[in-house]
Amino acid sequence: MALITISGYPSSGKSTRAAQMHDFFSSDPSPQLKVKVISDDDLAIDRTSYDDSLQEKTARATLFTAITRHIARDTILIVDAMNYIKGFRYQLYCKAREAGVRVATVYVLATPDQCREWNGDRADGKRYKNETLDALIQRFEEPSSMVRWDAPLFTIPWDDPRPPLERISDAVTTGIVKPPNVGTQITPKAPTDALRTLEHTTNALVSALMAAQAASPLGGPIVLTLDALDPSSNTSANESSVLRVRLTLPHRALTLSELQRLKRQFVAARRKAVTLGSTEKGRVEWGEEGVGCAFADFLEEGLGVGR
């Protein structure tokens, strides 16, 4: 359904606003709608975690893991934390787009002096150290409605008794769900035997080309028969141990060094995608038949066929 990110200074009243929103959305009688609040307190993240940058990084990772676990299309997830780093808010925005849910940011606005006063008055053992609170206020990166990861943005002054709950509700229940972009889509992984298949198929095709050229003059369309590394890669039950690759060759003799050079270029491009663990841009065929056809097309282009 939606991800609502609450942002603001420490001890600015964010938990109060989270509780108000939770009660408002929970009043909806629809059984399909779930409302969940995630906070530092829920995750047992102590205020002392913000005294040290390494502990704070661990705490932020814990928060992000919990968000990833609970974000869903049937849930309004309210993140009650400082979320004071714009890079982290962008990370949450990308996660929401990946999950296909709406987003909204609630900025609880309070003055530094008011936050210091409230922090000093706390008697629940959740007080920030004075120097930690000052450092967090100084590093705070204010949300902006001008950037996509903070929009729509609802700013609530600390002395406002009631946030604009109806407008927030409209944004998270009827607003536009932005589709995943390239940066948020999960790219398919290359299979574990991709390198083995790549080397075998390209070597076999080069060898078949040299053998065919030695047997008869080349030029024009040709069909090469390759031994399959994986018999299941061919759909024909009677010819399950071979692959057939069609390509067009120039009317001249080809040298082994020329073919090996083109093979190295083709393998290098595919090896990069395998090493990165994804198919990078677009969809890549990793089976023997797909590699063979792609290499044949690459050879035709590299050999100048049809130019």
Side-chain angles (χ1 to χ4, degrees):
M1 175 69 74
L3 174 69
I4 302 176
T5 303
I6 301 181
S7 182
Y9 291 156
S11 296
S12 59
K14 296 183 297 300
S15 295
T16 299
R17 303 306 185 181
Q20 289 175 317
M21 286 187 286
H22 178 271
D23 293 344
F24 179 81
F25 288 118
S26 297
S27 63
D28 189 330
S30 173
Q32 290 79 25
L33 180 64
K34 301 176 185 177
V35 184
K36 172 71 177 177
V37 176
I38 293 179
S39 68
D40 286 353
D41 294 339
D42 296 328
L43 302 175
I45 298 175
D46 194 85
R47 298 298 188 271
T48 58
S49 299
Y50 295 93
D51 297 343
D52 175 79
S53 60
L54 183 60
Q55 292 184 49
E56 181 184 342
K57 185 177 180 180
T58 302
R60 200 157 48 242
T62 301
L63 177 64
F64 186 76
T65 299
I67 293 169
T68 301
R69 185 167 60 250
H70 290 287
I71 195 169
R73 296 188 180 185
D74 64 347
T75 302
I76 294 178
L77 185 61
I78 303 170
V79 183
D80 174 20
M82 281 184 292
N83 303 314
Y84 71 99
I85 300 174
K86 63 182 178 181
F88 184 67
R89 295 197 299 270
Y90 176 71
Q91 190 177 6
L92 298 184
Y93 166 81
C94 290
K95 176 55 65 175
R97 292 190 65 171
E98 181 183 315
V101 301
R102 299 175 180 87
V103 295
T105 303
V106 173
Y107 178 23
V108 181
L109 183 61
T111 65
D113 288 340
Q114 183 64 67
C115 294
R116 293 187 185 99
E117 180 182 341
W118 282 340
N119 184 65
D121 292 341
R122 301 194 75 146
D124 55 4
K126 299 175 183 178
R127 183 185 302 174
Y128 295 91
K129 291 182 181 179
N130 292 335
E131 56 270 27
T132 300
L133 185 140
D134 290 341
L136 291 171
I137 290 176
Q138 186 176 11
R139 299 201 307 265
F140 186 84
E141 297 176 327
E142 184 175 331
S144 170
S145 60
M146 301 299 292
V147 296
R148 63 187 183 279
W149 57 86
D150 287 334
L153 176 64
F154 300 91
T155 300
I156 306 174
W158 66 272
D159 56 352
D160 190 339
R162 186 176 185 275
L165 298 172
E166 289 77 11
R167 289 198 295 121
I168 296 173
S169 177
D170 288 342
V172 301
T173 57
T174 63
I176 297 174
V177 179
K178 296 183 179 180
N181 56 19
V182 175
T184 60
Q185 288 177 342
I186 299 176
T187 54
K189 301 294 183 181
T192 55
D193 63 345
L195 287 176
R196 179 168 172 257
T197 302
L198 180 62
E199 289 290 347
H200 170 83
T201 306
T202 52
N203 283 330
L205 186 51
V206 169
S207 297
L209 268 174
M210 294 304 297
Q213 181 173 248
S216 61
L218 294 181
I222 187 174
V223 179
L224 298 176
T225 301
L226 313 180
D227 291 331
L229 182 64
D230 179 11
S232 64
S233 63
N234 195 302
T235 57
S236 174
N238 297 326
E239 302 173 351
S240 60
S241 61
V242 297
L243 295 173
R244 283 184 165 78
V245 178
R246 293 174 174 82
L247 71 160
T248 302
L249 298 176
H251 295 278
R252 62 177 176 83
L254 304 177
T255 64
L256 179 59
S257 60
E258 182 180 22
L259 295 176
Q260 291 286 12
R261 175 179 57 81
L262 292 171
K263 170 189 171 290
R264 286 193 298 270
Q265 293 175 359
F266 178 80
V267 169
R270 291 239 168 172
R271 185 185 293 274
K272 181 181 178 182
V274 176
T275 303
L276 293 176
S278 73
T279 61
E280 293 186 327
K281 296 181 180 179
R283 184 169 179 265
V284 177
E285 293 287 350
W286 291 108
E288 289 179 89
E289 185 175 356
V291 171
C293 292
F295 186 37
D297 292 340
F298 185 83
L299 286 175
E300 289 181 351
E301 181 178 354
L303 295 172
V305 176
R307 294 181 183 176

